[in-house]
Each structure stands twice: as C-alpha cells, then as structure tokens.
Amino acid sequence: MTKILMMGTRKDETLFANQWAKDHDVSLTTSTEFLNNETYHLLKGFDGLCLQQTMGLPDDMYARLKKDGFTQIAQRSAGVDMYHLEEAKRQGIKITNIPAYSPNSVAEFVVSSALNAIRHTHAIQNRVSKHDFSWDQSILSREIRSLTIGILGTGKIGQIAAQIFKGFGATVIGYDLYQNKSAKNFLTYKDDFDDFLKKSDIITIHMPLTPENYHQFNEEALKKMKPGAILINAARGGIVDTKALLKMVDSGHLSYCVLDTYENEMPFVTKDWTEKSLEDPVLEALLEHENIQYTPHIAFYTDMAIENLVCGGLQACLDILKTGDSAYVVNR
C-alpha cells in the first residue's frame, strides 16, 4: 500500500485527508510538523510527501530527498516561492501546486474588504466601542457604483472579483500582460500600467510573485496611484514594498490598505504568537496602523477551498507516485 506523509497538517484538514485516503486505499500519516533538517527523520518509510511549507527548504535537502528515493513534493497551495524549483528539478524532484482551489473564496474576501474599507467599518467600530456615536465627514462613505476598480492580474480570481464588482455597478478596469478574452465580459483593459494606476480608486492584486514583479508596488508606483486610493493585496506579499506602502499611507496619499499577505510573513502565519514578541517593527507598524487592515493570509480560508487543497495535493502526490507525472508540476 502506498504510504504518504502529509506535513504541516492543521486540524481542519484532517477530515478531508482521512476521507481521501480511505477512498483511494492509501496509508496516510499526518503531522503538524513542517519539513526542515530537524524533522527530516519523520520521512523514513514513506513513498510520497504532501507539504504545506511556509519556510523554504535548505538547498542541499533536495539531493538528500533524491538519495532517499523521493521523487516529488506536493505543495498544498498555489504559491511555490518557498521552494528552489531549479535545484529540485536538477535532483529529479517534481513539485506540484494547486493553482485554482477556490478562486471564489479569495474574490469574495477582496470584495468584502473593499466594502469595509469604503464604509469605514473599522473606524466606526472603534468609535462605537468608545461610545462615540457621532457623525462627521471622516466616516462619510462612497458607493461602489461610483468607483473605478482596478484588477491587476485577470486570471480566475481576478475575473471573479471583476464580475462581483461589476455586479455592484462599478467601473472595472484591468491590467495584465496576458489579456483574457473572457475577462472582457467584466472589465476594460488598460494597456499602460501608469494609466491603470492613475484611474483606479481601488486596486486589487491577483498575480503570482515572480522576480519581475517583486516590489512592483514600490514608492514610485504607489505615488502614481490616485490620491486617496485604496490598495488590496490578497496575492503575494513580495509584490508590495511594505515600507514604501507605510510611507504612502502615513502621508495620506493612500487612504487605506488591505493586506492579506505580508512579504516577511513566513515566520508568523498559521502560528499563535499571543505570548511572544514579534520582533518585526514593520509588521508591528502594520498591525498598529488605523488605516491598514492586516489578516494572516486567510482570504482563501473556506471549507470548499480546504477540501480542494487537501484532496488536490494528495491526488497530485499519488499521480506522480503511480504514473511519474501530474498536470500540476511547476518545475518541468
């Protein structure tokens, strides 16, 4: 019987994982541990690996995996920037991801965050908690239908977000180096990135992180955004230069920012730091800022998404073990 080790397992994943293993006649062992040099010994006796890494692997671990007979790593996420893909390829380790586990979950989170931002929900709740029930212009809201929404990256998530925003009556524009014909049903493409920045009241990012778009939203790009605009990033943290973002929000050039991802989040996300010092002044500044909403990479976090991530990851692992390949290999 095929033996798979599923690491980084959370309690909410176990029901779906156990049912999948039963349906596919696989011996599945789950562990809350993440893969590193200290936990490598847990791999002994297993055929395949299904991981939920946040931190990367040491480069020499890929050769170690090869030596111990492993041929794949099935990552339970869309992002794979925590892996050295070329080194894994050199060692014959195929890495898979789950490119589309529930685009609706992220799109719905983005739209709800945009609504909360323009309706000043956070500020109003803070005032009410102090028994301040007054009205003034600082909490005067705009309506979605009066705004231009900029969708950066028009794949599955971006298109669904565009469709929902359009349903509110908003003007929706998009920017993508690879335009999708289907997206044109919900948005109008801008060919110039600077024009896209200047026209958008709200920009929401839906791109993978690449070397080319690392810190694409640096100080120069943020200054080109419309004064008073809102930036939403539920994609990858490295696309936004966080220090530059804080500067632009502090100056008032950006009125609000929603971050579901932060470029240095890996040590923190999925962990309880209640009794610990963060020792990250940038993250602390985000958390303390009244005009920034930070959430710990949970835009995707719905029951349907978790089921698809677990079952999709385990299936990709089994496919490679049985056939040597998967449709979701990212380092061919």
Side-chain angles (χ1 to χ4, degrees):
M1 181 181 289
T2 301
K3 295 182 178 181
I4 295 176
L5 176 62
M6 181 171 156
M7 300 187 74
T9 308
R10 301 184 308 273
K11 188 175 181 180
D12 56 69
E13 295 180 301
T14 55
L15 178 64
F16 301 118
N18 291 334
Q19 185 60 54
W20 180 91
K22 181 179 178 181
D23 293 342
H24 292 80
D25 194 28
V26 166
S27 174
L28 178 68
T29 298
T30 61
S31 170
T32 58
E33 299 284 357
F34 294 93
L35 182 56
N36 53 48
N37 285 327
E38 286 69 38
T39 61
Y40 189 89
H41 67 278
L42 298 175
L43 277 56
K44 187 176 181 179
F46 289 95
D47 304 304
L49 300 175
C50 185
L51 308 184
Q52 179 57 282
Q53 289 292 116
T54 53
M55 303 296 286
L57 303 180
D59 282 355
D60 61 359
M61 187 174 285
Y62 299 102
R64 190 176 177 186
L65 287 166
K66 178 182 180 180
K67 180 180 177 182
D68 290 334
F70 291 97
T71 59
Q72 57 72 229
I73 294 173
Q75 172 70 11
R76 301 192 305 282
S77 71
V80 290
D81 49 287
M82 64 288 295
Y83 296 108
H84 192 319
L85 298 181
E86 285 302 315
E87 179 59 24
K89 182 178 179 179
R90 278 193 289 271
Q91 300 299 334
I93 307 294
K94 293 181 178 178
I95 295 178
T96 56
N97 73 341
I98 310 297
Y101 40 88
S102 181
N104 291 73
S105 62
V106 180
E108 290 172 7
F109 179 90
V110 163
V111 175
S112 65
S113 296
L115 288 168
N116 284 329
I118 65 169
R119 297 307 299 260
H120 308 293
T121 302
H122 181 67
I124 293 169
Q125 288 178 334
N126 282 342
R127 289 165 66 144
V128 169
S129 70
K130 301 171 184 175
H131 297 176
D132 179 357
F133 308 117
S134 62
W135 301 355
D136 61 51
Q137 193 165 353
S138 69
I139 57 171
L140 184 65
S141 301
R142 295 177 290 174
E143 298 181 10
I144 284 281
R145 63 177 178 163
S146 70
L147 304 179
T148 297
I149 311 297
I151 308 292
L152 182 58
T154 57
K156 292 182 175 67
I157 297 173
Q159 288 186 54
I160 294 171
Q163 183 178 10
I164 299 173
F165 278 119
K166 189 174 180 66
F168 280 99
T171 299
V172 186
I173 61 176
Y175 183 83
D176 199 316
L177 295 177
Y178 307 97
Q179 297 183 3
N180 287 305
K181 184 177 180 180
S182 58
K184 295 180 180 179
N185 294 319
F186 313 114
L187 57 81
T188 301
Y189 277 109
K190 294 292 182 181
D191 294 323
D192 181 75
F193 183 59
D194 288 353
D195 187 43
F196 169 83
L197 294 176
K198 293 173 184 177
K199 294 286 175 61
S200 301
D201 294 295
I202 299 175
I203 291 178
T204 175
I205 302 171
H206 300 289
M207 302 185 298
L209 178 63
T210 67
E212 291 72 30
N213 67 19
Y214 175 74
H215 278 188
Q216 181 170 357
F217 281 83
N218 53 23
E219 186 171 344
E220 180 182 0
L222 293 168
K223 283 181 176 178
K224 292 177 181 177
M225 291 178 63
K226 182 185 289 190
I230 295 168
L231 180 65
I232 301 175
N233 184 13
R236 308 303 283 184
I239 298 172
V240 176
D241 180 340
T242 313
K243 291 181 179 179
L245 177 71
L246 282 163
K247 183 177 180 179
M248 289 297 101
V249 179
D250 284 339
S251 72
H253 181 71
L254 298 183
S255 65
Y256 202 80
C257 181
V258 176
L259 296 179
D260 184 55
T261 180
Y262 161 56
E263 58 185 314
N264 298 315
E265 69 184 13
M266 286 186 175
F268 307 105
V269 168
T270 76
K271 302 176 182 68
D272 183 354
W273 282 73
T274 305
E275 304 298 330
K276 301 177 183 178
S277 173
L278 295 179
E279 298 183 355
D280 183 335
V282 177
L283 178 56
E284 289 174 346
L286 293 178
L287 299 179
E288 294 169 2
H289 208 295
E290 62 181 5
N291 292 323
I292 295 176
Q293 171 191 306
Y294 172 74
T295 48
H297 215 130
I298 48 81
F300 78 98
Y301 197 55
T302 63
D303 53 357
M304 185 174 294
I306 296 302
E307 180 177 7
N308 290 340
L309 283 165
V310 169
C311 297
L314 289 169
Q315 188 62 55
C317 175
L318 186 60
D319 286 346
I320 291 180
L321 293 177
K322 284 189 170 182
T323 70
D325 199 10
S326 164
Y328 302 116
V329 175
V330 295
N331 63 333
R332 294 187 182 280

